[in-house]
Protein backbone atom coordinates (compact mmCIF):
# COMPACT_ATOMS: atom_id res chain seq x y z
CA UNK A 1 0.00 0.00 0.00
CA UNK A 2 1.13 3.57 -0.61
CA UNK A 3 1.90 5.16 2.76
CA UNK A 4 1.84 8.83 3.81
CA UNK A 5 2.79 10.34 7.18
CA UNK A 6 0.74 13.49 7.83
CA UNK A 7 1.63 15.74 10.78
CA UNK A 8 -0.49 17.23 13.52
CA UNK A 9 -0.90 20.98 13.17
CA UNK A 10 -1.72 23.94 15.37
CA UNK A 11 -4.02 26.58 13.88
CA UNK A 12 -4.74 30.23 14.75
CA UNK A 13 -1.71 30.85 17.03
CA UNK A 14 -3.82 33.48 18.80
CA UNK A 15 -3.83 36.41 16.42
CA UNK A 16 -4.39 34.45 13.19
CA UNK A 17 -7.88 32.96 13.55
CA UNK A 18 -8.68 30.77 10.51
CA UNK A 19 -5.48 32.02 8.80
CA UNK A 20 -2.29 30.97 10.63
CA UNK A 21 -1.15 27.39 11.10
CA UNK A 22 2.01 25.41 11.80
CA UNK A 23 2.97 21.83 11.11
CA UNK A 24 4.22 20.02 14.23
CA UNK A 25 7.21 17.68 14.05
CA UNK A 26 5.14 15.20 16.08
CA UNK A 27 2.60 13.58 16.54
CA UNK A 28 1.32 12.40 13.11
CA UNK A 29 -1.24 10.16 11.37
CA UNK A 30 -0.17 7.38 9.00
CA UNK A 31 -2.49 6.96 6.00
CA UNK A 32 -2.22 3.90 3.70
CA UNK A 33 -4.13 3.60 0.42
CA UNK A 34 -4.62 1.13 -2.43
CA UNK A 35 -6.94 1.32 -5.43
CA UNK A 36 -10.42 -0.20 -4.97
CA UNK A 37 -13.83 -0.23 -6.68
CA UNK A 38 -15.30 1.80 -3.84
CA UNK A 39 -13.90 3.60 -0.81
CA UNK A 40 -13.63 1.78 2.52
CA UNK A 41 -11.90 3.09 5.65
CA UNK A 42 -10.30 1.20 8.57
CA UNK A 43 -9.25 3.20 11.62
CA UNK A 44 -6.74 2.34 14.36
CA UNK A 45 -4.68 4.26 16.93
CA UNK A 46 -5.39 7.20 19.25
CA UNK A 47 -9.11 7.81 19.71
CA UNK A 48 -9.98 5.80 16.61
CA UNK A 49 -12.97 4.24 18.41
CA UNK A 50 -14.65 7.68 18.22
CA UNK A 51 -14.09 8.20 14.49
CA UNK A 52 -16.67 6.95 11.96
CA UNK A 53 -15.37 4.52 9.32
CA UNK A 54 -18.25 5.44 7.00
CA UNK A 55 -16.50 7.29 4.11
CA UNK A 56 -19.32 9.82 4.07
CA UNK A 57 -18.51 10.81 7.66
CA UNK A 58 -14.72 10.52 7.64
CA UNK A 59 -12.48 13.38 6.44
CA UNK A 60 -10.42 10.96 4.32
CA UNK A 61 -13.61 9.72 2.65
CA UNK A 62 -14.60 13.29 1.76
CA UNK A 63 -11.21 13.72 0.09
CA UNK A 64 -11.52 10.45 -1.86
CA UNK A 65 -14.89 11.68 -3.11
CA UNK A 66 -13.52 15.13 -4.02
CA UNK A 67 -10.62 13.56 -5.98
CA UNK A 68 -12.87 10.90 -7.54
CA UNK A 69 -10.30 8.38 -6.26
CA UNK A 70 -11.98 5.36 -4.65
CA UNK A 71 -9.61 3.43 -2.41
CA UNK A 72 -9.15 1.08 0.48
CA UNK A 73 -7.87 3.50 3.14
CA UNK A 74 -6.22 2.51 6.43
CA UNK A 75 -5.54 5.28 8.96
CA UNK A 76 -3.40 4.85 12.07
CA UNK A 77 -4.18 7.87 14.25
CA UNK A 78 -1.27 9.50 16.06
CA UNK A 79 -3.42 12.56 16.64
CA UNK A 80 -6.45 12.07 18.89
CA UNK A 81 -9.70 13.60 17.49
CA UNK A 82 -11.22 16.80 18.96
CA UNK A 83 -7.77 17.80 20.20
CA UNK A 84 -7.06 21.20 18.67
CA UNK A 85 -4.07 19.54 16.99
CA UNK A 86 -5.64 19.20 13.56
CA UNK A 87 -6.57 15.55 13.91
CA UNK A 88 -9.29 15.66 11.27
CA UNK A 89 -6.97 17.68 9.01
CA UNK A 90 -4.05 15.24 9.32
CA UNK A 91 -6.16 12.42 7.88
CA UNK A 92 -7.59 14.69 5.18
CA UNK A 93 -4.18 16.02 4.13
CA UNK A 94 -2.64 12.55 4.25
CA UNK A 95 -5.43 11.10 2.12
CA UNK A 96 -5.18 13.98 -0.38
CA UNK A 97 -1.42 13.49 -0.89
CA UNK A 98 -1.72 9.69 -1.01
CA UNK A 99 -4.65 9.55 -3.45
CA UNK A 100 -3.14 12.23 -5.69
CA UNK A 101 -0.08 9.98 -6.01
CA UNK A 102 -2.03 6.70 -6.26
CA UNK A 103 -4.20 8.00 -9.12
CA UNK A 104 -1.50 10.15 -10.76
CA UNK A 105 -3.69 13.23 -10.54
CA UNK A 106 -0.64 15.51 -10.82
CA UNK A 107 -1.93 18.19 -8.44
CA UNK A 108 0.58 20.30 -6.52
CA UNK A 109 0.48 20.41 -2.71
CA UNK A 110 -1.02 23.92 -2.90
CA UNK A 111 -3.73 22.64 -5.24
CA UNK A 112 -4.50 19.85 -2.75
CA UNK A 113 -5.19 22.34 0.08
CA UNK A 114 -8.82 23.18 -0.92
CA UNK A 115 -9.46 19.48 -1.63
CA UNK A 116 -8.26 18.44 1.82
CA UNK A 117 -10.35 21.29 3.28
CA UNK A 118 -13.46 19.45 2.02
CA UNK A 119 -12.78 17.05 4.89
CA UNK A 120 -12.75 19.95 7.37
CA UNK A 121 -16.08 21.21 5.99
CA UNK A 122 -17.55 17.77 6.66
CA UNK A 123 -16.67 17.77 10.37
CA UNK A 124 -16.61 21.43 11.41
CA UNK A 125 -19.15 22.94 9.02
CA UNK A 126 -16.58 25.21 7.31
CA UNK A 127 -13.73 24.49 4.89
CA UNK A 128 -11.12 26.38 6.94
CA UNK A 129 -7.66 25.73 5.47
CA UNK A 130 -5.46 26.70 8.42
CA UNK A 131 -4.77 23.07 9.44
CA UNK A 132 -4.67 21.31 6.06
CA UNK A 133 -2.32 23.94 4.59
CA UNK A 134 0.53 23.32 7.08
CA UNK A 135 -0.20 19.57 7.10
CA UNK A 136 0.49 19.55 3.34
CA UNK A 137 3.10 22.30 2.96
CA UNK A 138 4.89 22.21 6.31
CA UNK A 139 6.31 25.16 8.26
CA UNK A 140 4.22 28.20 9.18
CA UNK A 141 1.39 28.93 6.75
CA UNK A 142 -0.86 31.90 6.09
CA UNK A 143 -4.10 30.71 4.45
CA UNK A 144 -5.71 33.81 2.95
CA UNK A 145 -8.42 34.45 0.34
CA UNK A 146 -5.79 34.78 -2.40
CA UNK A 147 -3.96 31.55 -1.55
CA UNK A 148 -1.51 30.09 0.92
CA UNK A 149 1.88 31.62 1.79
CA UNK A 150 4.41 29.40 3.52
CA UNK A 151 7.36 30.28 5.79
CA UNK A 152 9.96 27.59 6.44
CA UNK A 153 10.17 27.99 10.25
CA UNK A 154 11.44 25.54 12.88
CA UNK A 155 10.61 27.19 16.22
CA UNK A 156 10.56 24.98 19.37
CA UNK A 157 7.08 24.41 20.81
CA UNK A 158 5.34 22.60 23.64
CA UNK A 159 1.78 21.39 23.10
CA UNK A 160 -0.17 20.13 26.10
CA UNK A 161 -3.30 18.06 25.42
CA UNK A 162 -5.72 17.70 28.35
CA UNK A 163 -8.07 14.76 28.65
CA UNK A 164 -11.04 16.94 27.66
CA UNK A 165 -12.93 16.80 24.36
CA UNK A 166 -13.74 20.05 22.53
CA UNK A 167 -15.15 19.61 19.04
CA UNK A 168 -14.18 22.26 16.52
CA UNK A 169 -17.82 22.53 15.45
CA UNK A 170 -18.87 23.45 19.03
CA UNK A 171 -15.90 25.78 19.57
CA UNK A 172 -16.77 27.70 16.38
CA UNK A 173 -20.16 28.54 17.90
CA UNK A 174 -18.55 30.62 20.69
CA UNK A 175 -16.53 32.82 18.30
CA UNK A 176 -17.90 36.39 18.63
CA UNK A 177 -19.74 37.82 15.61
CA UNK A 178 -18.27 41.31 16.03
CA UNK A 179 -15.11 42.92 17.43
CA UNK A 180 -14.23 46.43 18.63
CA UNK A 181 -11.94 48.41 16.31
CA UNK A 182 -9.25 48.73 19.00
CA UNK A 183 -9.18 44.93 19.34
CA UNK A 184 -8.88 44.54 15.58
CA UNK A 185 -6.00 47.06 15.56
CA UNK A 186 -4.27 45.11 18.34
CA UNK A 187 -4.77 41.85 16.41
CA UNK A 188 -3.30 43.26 13.19
CA UNK A 189 -0.18 44.41 15.07
CA UNK A 190 0.24 41.05 16.76
CA UNK A 191 -0.33 39.05 13.57
CA UNK A 192 2.31 41.12 11.78
CA UNK A 193 4.74 40.69 14.69
CA UNK A 194 4.17 36.93 14.72
CA UNK A 195 4.79 36.68 10.96
CA UNK A 196 8.13 38.49 11.26
CA UNK A 197 8.97 36.27 14.24
CA UNK A 198 8.37 33.16 12.15
CA UNK A 199 10.67 34.49 9.41
CA UNK A 200 13.40 34.97 12.00
CA UNK A 201 12.61 31.87 14.11
CA UNK A 202 12.43 34.35 17.00
CA UNK A 203 10.52 32.96 20.02
CA UNK A 204 10.09 36.44 21.59
CA UNK A 205 8.35 37.97 18.56
CA UNK A 206 6.23 34.86 17.98
CA UNK A 207 5.26 34.84 21.67
CA UNK A 208 4.16 38.50 21.55
CA UNK A 209 2.14 37.76 18.44
CA UNK A 210 0.25 34.91 20.09
CA UNK A 211 -1.80 37.26 22.30
CA UNK A 212 -5.40 37.68 21.17
CA UNK A 213 -8.33 39.56 22.68
CA UNK A 214 -11.05 38.50 20.25
CA UNK A 215 -11.43 34.72 19.81
CA UNK A 216 -9.16 33.12 22.43
CA UNK A 217 -10.94 34.40 25.60
CA UNK A 218 -14.19 32.71 24.53
CA UNK A 219 -12.39 29.46 23.66
CA UNK A 220 -10.40 29.46 26.91
CA UNK A 221 -13.69 29.16 28.84
CA UNK A 222 -14.14 25.68 27.35
CA UNK A 223 -10.82 24.42 28.80
CA UNK A 224 -10.75 23.63 32.55
CA UNK A 225 -7.61 25.14 34.09
CA UNK A 226 -6.57 27.14 31.00
CA UNK A 227 -5.53 30.31 32.89
CA UNK A 228 -3.52 28.30 35.41
CA UNK A 229 -1.75 26.31 32.67
CA UNK A 230 -0.97 29.48 30.74
CA UNK A 231 0.52 31.19 33.80
CA UNK A 232 2.57 28.10 34.67
CA UNK A 233 3.99 27.87 31.14
CA UNK A 234 4.92 31.58 31.12
CA UNK A 235 6.60 31.28 34.53
CA UNK A 236 8.59 28.30 33.23
CA UNK A 237 9.93 30.39 30.35
CA UNK A 238 7.35 30.21 27.54
CA UNK A 239 7.48 33.34 25.37
CA UNK A 240 3.79 33.04 24.44
CA UNK A 241 0.88 30.71 25.19
CA UNK A 242 -2.50 30.30 23.53
CA UNK A 243 -5.25 27.81 22.69
CA UNK A 244 -4.14 25.42 19.93
CA UNK A 245 -6.74 25.48 17.16
CA UNK A 246 -10.20 25.28 18.66
CA UNK A 247 -8.75 23.61 21.81
CA UNK A 248 -8.53 21.88 24.16
CA UNK A 249 -4.80 21.64 23.31
CA UNK A 250 -2.69 24.53 24.65
CA UNK A 251 0.43 25.62 22.75
CA UNK A 252 3.53 27.42 24.07
CA UNK A 253 6.31 29.04 22.01
CA UNK A 254 9.73 28.87 23.66
CA UNK A 255 13.49 28.44 23.47
CA UNK A 256 14.63 24.85 23.12
CA UNK A 257 16.43 24.93 26.47
CA UNK A 258 13.14 25.69 28.32
CA UNK A 259 11.00 23.07 26.58
CA UNK A 260 11.24 20.30 29.17
CA UNK A 261 10.50 22.61 32.12
CA UNK A 262 7.53 24.18 30.33
CA UNK A 263 6.08 20.76 29.51
CA UNK A 264 6.37 19.72 33.19
CA UNK A 265 4.78 22.97 34.40
CA UNK A 266 1.81 22.60 32.03
CA UNK A 267 1.23 18.96 33.04
CA UNK A 268 1.38 19.90 36.75
CA UNK A 269 -1.01 22.82 36.29
CA UNK A 270 -3.64 20.63 34.58
CA UNK A 271 -3.09 18.04 37.29
CA UNK A 272 -3.76 20.72 39.97
CA UNK A 273 -7.29 21.18 38.59
CA UNK A 274 -7.87 17.42 38.34
CA UNK A 275 -7.36 17.11 34.58
CA UNK A 276 -5.02 14.49 33.15
CA UNK A 277 -2.97 15.61 30.17
CA UNK A 278 0.00 14.73 27.99
CA UNK A 279 2.64 17.07 26.65
CA UNK A 280 4.48 16.98 23.33
CA UNK A 281 7.90 18.64 23.27
CA UNK A 282 8.03 19.40 19.58
CA UNK A 283 8.86 22.13 17.01
CA UNK A 284 7.52 23.44 13.71
CA UNK A 285 8.12 20.66 11.20
CA UNK A 286 7.66 19.67 7.57
CA UNK A 287 4.52 18.73 5.65
CA UNK A 288 3.16 15.26 4.86
CA UNK A 289 5.64 12.77 3.39
CA UNK A 290 5.20 9.81 1.02
CA UNK A 291 6.99 6.60 2.05
N1 LIG B 1 -10.07 10.78 9.86
C1 LIG B 1 -10.50 11.48 10.91
N2 LIG B 1 -9.64 11.82 11.88
C2 LIG B 1 -10.06 12.51 12.98
N3 LIG B 1 -11.34 12.90 13.19
C3 LIG B 1 -12.24 12.59 12.23
C4 LIG B 1 -11.86 11.89 11.06
N4 LIG B 1 -12.96 11.74 10.30
C5 LIG B 1 -13.98 12.31 10.95
N5 LIG B 1 -13.57 12.81 12.13
C6 LIG B 1 -14.40 13.50 13.12
O1 LIG B 1 -13.96 14.84 13.25
C7 LIG B 1 -14.14 15.30 14.59
C8 LIG B 1 -12.79 15.78 15.10
O2 LIG B 1 -12.42 16.89 14.36
P1 LIG B 1 -12.21 18.29 15.07
O3 LIG B 1 -13.39 18.55 15.99
O4 LIG B 1 -11.91 19.28 14.00
O5 LIG B 1 -10.95 17.99 15.98
P2 LIG B 1 -9.41 18.26 15.74
O6 LIG B 1 -9.18 19.57 16.39
O7 LIG B 1 -8.69 17.22 16.52
O8 LIG B 1 -9.18 18.20 14.30
C9 LIG B 1 -14.63 14.11 15.40
O9 LIG B 1 -16.03 14.21 15.50
C10 LIG B 1 -14.26 12.92 14.53
O10 LIG B 1 -15.12 11.81 14.70
N1 LIG C 1 -9.40 27.93 12.70
C1 LIG C 1 -10.05 26.75 13.22
C2 LIG C 1 -8.99 25.74 13.60
C3 LIG C 1 -9.52 24.48 14.21
O1 LIG C 1 -8.41 23.64 14.53
P1 LIG C 1 -8.61 22.22 15.20
O2 LIG C 1 -7.25 21.64 15.30
O3 LIG C 1 -9.23 22.47 16.54
O4 LIG C 1 -9.50 21.43 14.30
C4 LIG C 1 -10.86 27.16 14.46
O5 LIG C 1 -10.28 27.82 15.31
O6 LIG C 1 -12.05 26.84 14.53
Amino acid sequence: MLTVRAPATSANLGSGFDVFGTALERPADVVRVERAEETTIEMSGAGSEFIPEDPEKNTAGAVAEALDAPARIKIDKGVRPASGLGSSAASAAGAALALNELYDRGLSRSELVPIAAEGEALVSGEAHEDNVAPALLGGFTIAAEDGVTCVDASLPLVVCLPDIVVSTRDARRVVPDTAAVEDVVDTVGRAATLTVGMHRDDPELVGQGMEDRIVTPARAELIDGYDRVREAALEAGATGVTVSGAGPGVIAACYESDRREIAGAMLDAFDDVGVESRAYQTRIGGGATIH
Side-chain angles (χ1 to χ4, degrees), residues 186-206:
D186 180 75
T187 305
V188 171
R190 292 191 182 274
T193 303
L194 188 143
T195 304
V196 173
M198 288 292 183
H199 262 288
R200 296 183 188 164
D201 264 329
D202 180 334
E204 302 292 343
L205 289 181
V206 171

Side-chain angles (χ1 to χ4, degrees), residues 11-12 17-18 84-86 128 130-131 168 172 219 245-246:
N12 302 334
F17 177 68
D18 271 359
L85 300 182
H128 59 90
D130 50 347
N131 290 108
T168 304
R172 291 186 81 79
R219 254 77 185 283

Side-chain angles (χ1 to χ4, degrees), residues 51 79-88 161-162 164-168 246-249:
I51 303 174
V79 193
R80 190 204 86 187
S83 59
L85 300 182
S87 174
S88 50
L161 181 56
I164 304 170
V165 169
V166 174
S167 92
T168 304

Side-chain angles (χ1 to χ4, degrees), residues 119-289:
E120 293 291 67
L122 178 75
V123 296
S124 78
E126 279 164 87
H128 59 90
E129 296 182 346
D130 50 347
N131 290 108
V132 291
L136 281 161
L137 299 166
F140 166 65
T141 54
I142 302 167
E145 286 290 314
D146 296 335
V148 179
T149 307
C150 190
V151 176
D152 189 16
S154 67
L155 200 82
L157 299 167
V158 177
V159 184
C160 193
L161 181 56
D163 211 354
I164 304 170
V165 169
V166 174
S167 92
T168 304
R169 191 180 279 270
D170 293 344
R172 291 186 81 79
R173 293 201 185 103
V174 306
V175 174
D177 291 330
T178 57
V181 171
E182 59 264 34
D183 289 342
V184 175
V185 170
D186 180 75
T187 305
V188 171
R190 292 191 182 274
T193 303
L194 188 143
T195 304
V196 173
M198 288 292 183
H199 262 288
R200 296 183 188 164
D201 264 329
D202 180 334
E204 302 292 343
L205 289 181
V206 171
Q208 284 169 34
M210 283 165 75
E211 290 293 316
D212 160 53
R213 302 181 194 168
I214 300 176
V215 179
T216 310
R219 254 77 185 283
E221 300 274 317
L222 306 176
I223 306 169
D224 291 342
Y226 174 79
D227 289 338
R228 199 164 178 146
V229 171
R230 183 171 185 279
E231 274 312 305
L234 290 170
E235 269 171 35
T239 55
V241 181
T242 192
V243 174
S244 179
V250 180
I251 184 166
C254 58
Y255 291 94
E256 186 148 358
S257 53
D258 295 327
R259 223 168 24 179
R260 182 193 290 258
E261 196 158 338
I262 292 165
M266 293 172 91
L267 289 169
D268 287 348
F270 269 126
D271 192 50
D272 288 345
V273 295
V275 175
E276 277 184 42
S277 62
R278 69 170 296 176
Y280 298 95
Q281 295 179 47
T282 185
R283 62 173 55 252
I284 298 177
T289 44

Side-chain angles (χ1 to χ4, degrees), residues 6-172:
T9 50
S10 181
N12 302 334
L13 299 164
S15 57
F17 177 68
D18 271 359
V19 175
F20 290 166
T22 59
L24 304 179
E25 211 172 59
R26 71 188 193 95
D29 280 6
V30 175
V31 180
R32 295 187 175 84
V33 295
E34 66 186 15
R35 286 190 189 226
E37 287 294 308
E38 59 183 50
T39 298
T40 56
I41 299 178
E42 291 164 58
M43 303 296 307
S44 61
S48 54
E49 62 275 30
F50 304 111
I51 303 174
E53 292 187 328
D54 177 350
E56 290 189 6
K57 296 184 179 148
N58 192 298
T59 57
V63 170
E65 176 72 24
L67 277 173
D68 189 20
R72 178 174 175 220
I73 303 174
K74 290 176 129 187
I75 302 174
D76 189 15
K77 297 296 296 177
V79 193
R80 190 204 86 187
S83 59
L85 300 182
S87 174
S88 50
S91 294
L97 191 66
L99 295 172
N100 181 53
E101 182 77 11
L102 187 70
Y103 277 89
D104 260 331
R105 291 281 187 265
L107 297 172
S108 68
R109 284 175 184 250
S110 298
E111 287 168 334
L112 290 173
V113 168
I115 288 165
E118 294 290 322
E120 293 291 67
L122 178 75
V123 296
S124 78
E126 279 164 87
H128 59 90
E129 296 182 346
D130 50 347
N131 290 108
V132 291
L136 281 161
L137 299 166
F140 166 65
T141 54
I142 302 167
E145 286 290 314
D146 296 335
V148 179
T149 307
C150 190
V151 176
D152 189 16
S154 67
L155 200 82
L157 299 167
V158 177
V159 184
C160 193
L161 181 56
D163 211 354
I164 304 170
V165 169
V166 174
S167 92
T168 304
R169 191 180 279 270
D170 293 344
R172 291 186 81 79

